Amino acid sequence: MTEPTSRPSLFERIRARLAPNEMPSDDRGRMRMVVDSLILHLHPTKVIVTSMNWTYSWGLGGLAAMLMAILALTGVVLQNNYTPAAPQAYLDILEINSNVWFGELIRNLHHWSANLLIVVAVLHLIRVFVTGAYRPPRELNWLIGVAMLLLTLGANFTGYLLPWDQLAFWAITVGTSILSYVPLVGGWLSQLILGGPEVGANTLLNFYAMHISLIPLAIFGLMSYHFWRVRKDGGLTLPKSVDQVEEPKPERVTTIPHLVRRELIFALGWFAVLLIFAMFVPAPLEGIANPDVSPNPAKAPWYFMGLQELLLHFHPLVGAIVLPGLAVLAIFLLPFFDINLNSVGIYFRSRRGRSMTLLAMGLALAAAPLWVVLDEFVLNWSAWLPTWDTLLSNGLIPLAVIFIPLILLDEWTVKTFHADTEERVLFIATFLFTAFVVLTIVGIFFRGPGMSLYWPWAMPAAH
Ligand code: HEM
Ligand code: HEM
């Protein structure tokens, strides 16, 4: 009879592959080896020196990943102390704030990381956009990124309701009212998501289920694939200067310690900032949700205030569905109609691209507030066209009034600057994005009671 041979241990197998002097002989060395192999599952063994430039990627993708990790860790602690039922949910938050070990700090960290994540993911998208890093072969990673951004907004929105305070209840009531404008299936969709005709106990349960399972699962699944694709697509795009004609020189260094050391310093620095912020600035919490007392004005969460502002200017079908739908579609399709590889890695494409970006920002900073004020005080489409359907008078006509100057502006850039396709895309995208940011700022800070325009500094102090 032959003796059953036991399977060699992991270390024995590694040892068999390594030269004798490469195998660490003590525990510390072996530990180090395990950590190093973990890192090298995420990163390649060598990276190109210029791809590590701070001022190229700004570490935004890494920061987004770190915030995701903080959200998952703090989320699990919150979940262990939280019941998704009204009014218990609110009482649990009070309990977390007062009686759970470091509960308030953990809640604050979750809240601020979630909000910062939206800003960071959008900045990361902008970086990828202005350096042309979405072009082949990275189209798929761009699409995955857009999906992750939408899911991040979903995670923030569903999380917003969970504290079950006045702020949560009314912001979600306003936010979800947009759903009913979806053509044909709006009513059904709203009923499905809210679990009833309006925000209530079922909505809380639905949002909780989505918040702690479906959405994080989808985000973390996509995130792993996003990272893998960065490697598969040949690492980060390489920074190039405006006048550089030939391809950048790919000088490489080992990931450990060069890249890992930078990542560690960056992550620790940001974590310290976040921790200090969360120690001193509490996540907001108002009185318990009261469906009978609506605040005036009732506003959606800040990241949807641009949309709420659009709704004040357009027929809901145009403001809430057509315009955002077109924007998301254009972002999805971007890598398929702007594929010039020459300027990948150059911030703003070219010298002319830089000037055009600045010009587009300046124009939008002037035009968007002007449009808001004119539309509030002067333009009154439905009064001018009383017999017209409001979809025409308040939707399609104002839309045309905006689109026609945009097309003329585009033609002007071609005639005046001899802009090529990629510079035109950059110009229009910068204009529209800046205008949307202006609308968001107007919605957050300059809309008072009844959602009419007001000057916050001129209001008498509230008692
Ligand atoms: C992308 C990931 C996530 C985002 C963006 C996110 C976002 C948020 C936001 C904005 C809130 C409201 C916080 C407040 O103002 O009080 C919240 C609450 C909450 N989240 Fe998350 N979250 C994420 C992941 C998770 C995960 C993975 C879990 C659980 C495993 C979780 C569990 C909770 C719980 C229990 C609450 C209610 C407690 C509270 O509101 O303080 N979250 N989340
Ligand atoms: C929301 C969470 C996200 C995480 C955690 C994440 C993470 C990362 C990381 C770590 C990198 C490599 C380092 C860097 O470029 O900073 C990266 C690259 C990339 N990301 Fe993201 N990302 C996210 C969202 C997005 C979004 C919203 C987009 C665009 C729509 C996007 C598109 C890309 C592309 C195209 C690259 C390759 C860039 C290049 O080669 O220069 N990502 N991402």
Side-chain angles (χ1 to χ4, degrees):
M1 240 174 66
T2 49
E3 282 284 311
T5 46
S6 61
R7 199 173 138 71
S9 73
L10 173 68
F11 284 122
E12 280 164 343
R13 274 179 287 148
I14 295 173
R15 185 179 290 137
R17 290 233 208 126
L18 294 176
N21 58 352
E22 279 181 289
M23 183 61 199
S25 54
D26 58 346
D27 281 351
R28 199 164 161 221
R30 279 194 282 266
M31 193 62 195
R32 170 87 204 266
M33 193 169 179
V34 172
V35 174
D36 286 1
S37 353
L38 264 178
I39 293 171
L40 294 177
H41 271 80
L42 200 61
H43 292 306
T45 45
K46 287 191 166 183
V47 280
I48 297 175
V49 179
T50 51
S51 72
M52 291 191 300
N53 283 1
W54 283 128
T55 49
Y56 181 65
S57 74
W58 303 98
L60 291 164
L63 180 54
M66 185 186 108
L67 292 172
M68 290 281 190
I70 295 178
L71 281 163
L73 292 175
T74 49
V76 171
V77 180
L78 291 173
Q79 182 204 359
N80 285 337
N81 294 284
Y82 177 86
T83 323
Q88 190 57 40
Y90 181 75
L91 303 177
D92 283 353
I93 302 288
L94 293 180
E95 190 72 7
I96 288 174
N97 273 351
S98 52
N99 276 341
V100 173
W101 241 52
F102 290 108
E104 190 175 7
L105 180 66
I106 289 170
R107 176 166 180 255
N108 295 350
L109 266 177
H110 196 80
H111 176 90
W112 293 120
S113 305
N115 284 279
L116 184 61
L117 179 60
I118 298 181
V119 179
V120 170
V122 170
L123 288 177
H124 175 56
L125 180 147
I126 294 176
R127 188 296 275 172
V128 170
F129 173 67
V130 297
T131 54
Y134 50 85
R135 301 193 180 132
R138 295 178 178 78
E139 314 94 301
L140 182 56
N141 229 9
W142 169 265
L143 299 187
I144 293 165
V146 180
M148 285 201 294
L149 179 60
L150 295 177
L151 284 163
T152 301
L153 288 172
N156 264 287
F157 190 63
T158 48
Y160 209 108
L161 183 65
L162 303 187
W164 200 249
D165 61 344
Q166 272 292 75
L167 196 66
F169 184 89
W170 288 102
I172 299 303
T173 300
V174 173
T176 47
S177 65
I178 293 176
L179 285 174
S180 56
Y181 300 122
V182 178
L184 306 177
V185 291
W188 171 82
L189 195 68
S190 168
Q191 177 88 15
L192 179 79
I193 291 185
L194 297 186
E198 57 211 17
V199 176
N202 284 342
T203 322
L204 184 59
L205 204 55
N206 272 357
F207 274 34
Y208 179 70
M210 286 192 276
H211 187 80
I212 66 150
S213 59
L214 283 184
I215 298 178
L217 261 179
I219 291 186
F220 285 101
L222 285 176
M223 204 165 85
S224 320
Y225 188 58
H226 193 65
F227 290 168
W228 184 74
R229 280 240 62 95
V230 172
R231 273 188 78 162
K232 204 63 192 151
D233 295 336
L236 280 201
T237 49
L238 299 184
K240 265 171 52 176
S241 69
V242 186
D243 306 311
Q244 199 170 340
V245 185
E246 80 281 7
E247 284 306 307
K249 230 167 119 209
E251 190 197 329
R252 288 168 205 269
V253 287
T254 49
T255 297
I256 306 170
H258 299 280
L259 175 60
V260 175
R261 191 166 48 199
R262 281 164 177 250
E263 286 180 337
L264 211 64
I265 295 171
F266 181 81
L268 285 176
W270 266 106
F271 188 64
V273 171
L274 208 63
L275 198 63
I276 292 172
F277 193 81
M279 275 159 71
F280 291 104
V281 189
L285 187 69
E286 293 187 355
I288 191 165
N290 183 351
D292 298 326
V293 180
S294 134
N296 185 10
K299 293 188 179 182
W302 66 267
Y303 36 88
F304 287 149
M305 280 315 295
L307 273 184
Q308 199 179 346
E309 183 63 32
L310 277 180
L311 271 172
L312 294 175
H313 299 281
F314 291 102
H315 183 281
L317 189 64
V318 173
I321 311 294
V322 175
L323 280 175
L326 281 179
V328 173
L329 190 71
I331 295 174
F332 260 115
L333 294 180
L334 184 67
F336 303 101
F337 58 79
D338 175 16
I339 53 170
N340 180 356
L341 295 184
N342 289 336
S343 63
V344 170
I346 303 177
Y347 259 90
F348 309 107
R349 326 276 193 253
S350 59
R351 231 174 258 291
R352 189 171 46 210
R354 279 185 192 175
S355 319
M356 285 175 62
T357 307
L358 275 178
L359 183 66
M361 282 173 79
L363 284 173
L365 284 176
L370 192 70
W371 165 263
V372 170
V373 173
L374 275 180
D375 203 32
E376 176 99 351
F377 299 113
V378 183
L379 303 174
N380 193 346
W381 302 100
S382 31
W384 293 344
L385 308 166
T387 53
W388 294 41
D389 189 291
T390 50
L391 179 57
L392 265 180
S393 63
N394 260 356
L396 300 179
I397 292 185
L399 195 64
V401 170
I402 287 182
F403 263 95
I404 292 167
L406 215 57
I407 293 170
L408 294 177
L409 209 58
D410 177 48
E411 274 187 19
W412 175 71
T413 58
V414 178
K415 279 205 187 109
T416 317
F417 298 102
H418 307 291
D420 58 22
T421 311
E422 49 172 359
E423 288 157 351
R424 285 164 63 193
V425 169
L426 182 69
F427 183 83
I428 295 290
T430 308
F431 182 88
L432 292 176
F433 179 75
T434 313
F436 188 72
V437 172
V438 171
L439 292 189
T440 306
I441 291 173
V442 169
I444 298 175
F445 298 108
F446 297 95
R447 291 277 172 197
M451 286 306 276
S452 34
L453 276 185
Y454 88 124
W455 191 250
W457 298 279
M459 289 284 281
H463 296 289

